Amino acid sequence: MRHDPITPPPAPQADATIPNDAKTDHMTLLRYRVTHFRSVKDSGWLDLGKVTALVGVNESGKTNLLLPLWKLNPVADGGLDPVSDYPKTLFGEIRSAPETYRFILAEFETGPLADQIAELARIPAQAARRVTVGRLYDGSFTVEFPDHDRQWQGDAGRVSTRIHAARTQIEAADGPESQLELRKTALRTLDIMLTELEPDATLTGTTMMRLRNRVAALIPEDPPAVSSVVAELRSLRRDLGTWMAEILAPDPGQIDEVRAAVLSRLPGFVYYSSWGNLDSEIYLPHLVENMARADLGTKELAKARTLQMLFGFVGLEPTEILELGRDFREIREEAERRLAQEKAERGWMERLVHRLRRVEPELDPQLMAEIAEAKRTRSILLQSAGMRLGDRFGAWWRVRDCRFRFEADGNNFRIWVSDSERPQEVELEERSTGLQWFLSFFLVFLHESAGLHRNAVLLLDEPGLSLHPLAQRDLSTFFDEISKAHQIVYTAHSPFLVDADRLDRARKVFVDKDGSTRVTSDLCAPERGAGEGGAAYAVRSAVNMAVAEASFGGADAVLVPTVAEQVYLSVMKTLLVAAGEFAPAREILFAPAGNPDVGRRMAEILTGRNEGPPVVLHDDSFDGGTVVSSGRTLRLSDIVDGPCATIEDLMPPEPLARIVDRLERRPETMLSDTLGKGAPFVLGVETWASAADVTLAADWRLDLARRMRDHLLARGPDAVPAEIRQRWQSVMTACLATDGATRGAEK
């Protein structure tokens, strides 16, 4: 396996292997695989699109899938850190032999480069359409072509078939008497060669060379002008020589020119996390010191990196800003320090006396003018940079038209922000963290993806996590725009960053049975210990929000106390519609309110979205009258005609009781044997549980509702007695009536 130094080879010069007109060509990342990196044992292949979202809960290892890709070819920083990057279970082994462990393998589509690489590698163009590049812990690279079917060893069966075909042609050939001896010799030699070849044997390049040379020796030095025997021998020699060349040809991934062409065309990887967010006030001497240090921690390094991007945008170095802002006193004190160093042979007492006796020098008018001009120059540069940042940032941050002002005061550098709604300037840290994130990422992206890195792959760790939900959704549009020139891979656990209409972007990250990080495009794949949660929960929430957003726009809402009522009423509506006994003119949705306080706030929200206040369906434990001041309130005890009624009393009681008995198998007395006819179901269950010493789960009603829903949907409306379906119709019709006007109708 061929390895390279830690830094990828530089791009070839104009007279090297890649022509000038191909300098702008780049490769597209198709998929990658992480192995033995931090918490990742083997991620499996991760397929990528223009935008890919890695969705997972905290501590699932999402970041550990971004970092190795960044370290494949980082635009900035991205060095390997053994203490952090080596998996703890293999730390000793990797530390002893880092050249044997590959932590990242990425597959690229070569695009327009395929023909040029194929020519350099001496392989078919089709075999150069894809290339995989890996990196090992010693910093070296591997280059492979997965579509190149290299003949490492010759196929004896194929060679035997070809020699036999040549023998048949020569034996059947007609020719003059002068060629009879050549024909006999050729047949005898080919027979010997066939005898020596074992059908299942593999042939090395040396063996193929000997076979080719034996055929070549049969061809006379001065062959006749026309000879079918010589023509067939030449054809056989050519085929054997071609196969020999395939066996002896070097692996294309080991050819220096090929490796240089591939590695020089790798896209750069830009990694960004919220750790790099800007502060509003920057102490310049501290920044200058940090930018020169090589031992910064991860967070400090990210912060220094963003600040370096900021000053690059301003067009000045921090040291230059400090220099332009110096006053006369600082210049004089520096001159005194320099003079003291030059006269270090004097004792400290002598220098002190000399300084006390010295007359304070007069201010140099020319020096003062130069200082004033420098400060004026700095002020103009900072003002211009602030305006330029506002103009360019406005194309990204569409929430408000932000204006920036950079201010340098001595050793301090400050960023002030204002906009049309907040004309009063405030420091950056006083604005939203969402704005801070966007501005910081904008600066890093603008710098690191510019110029030679315009085709960079952006790796964003939890982008926009502090943004408003609507702004998080807008990130998808933002990503669409950027993805025209850059691939994007980002991590997320917020459903607002997983669009329901872009689920093809989502990949689920989870912790496997062995505790390692895994990733899959199967969003329904089980997650160890996740239950109803995990990455799948964020995906389901995104779908639920999309469905709810679309549904509530043209539907009548009915507030109910809990999710149990929501489940029962939804299945009633479904079965009635399926039976043709209920045909509402508008969709009807049931929203659980939880308690009257929550219900009151939900009613206010829904009133603003619909034509009027929602209907409230409640039982005796939920005071519907306090939820809405106007509109319809329906009491279950009035519909069921009895006190203590709950939604379960609208269901067939026998299957409900059987389900409870299956859930609680411990008591000797079954609920179905004790439940009184016409008695409130929930009260009956609680009485039975108390007598049988059964502890009911806190959510037993919800569990029962879901099981009953599945039971009814599996059997259809015909399994429900007609009198019960009639009561359901009354409930549905009442839910659709507001101020006496019915917006739905029974069929």
Side-chain angles (χ1 to χ4, degrees), residues 282-286 322 325-326 330 378 408-413:
I282 302 157
Y283 185 62
L284 292 174
H286 183 64
L322 278 173
R326 295 199 306 167
E330 292 174 322
R378 181 178 69 170
D409 180 15
N411 291 332
N412 295 312
F413 181 90

Side-chain angles (χ1 to χ4, degrees), residues 37-42 59-61 64 85 87 515-518:
F37 186 89
R38 298 193 180 187
S39 66
V40 185
K41 181 182 295 184
D42 184 352
E59 300 297 324
S60 60
N64 295 343
D85 296 341
S516 65
T517 297
R518 295 280 295 177

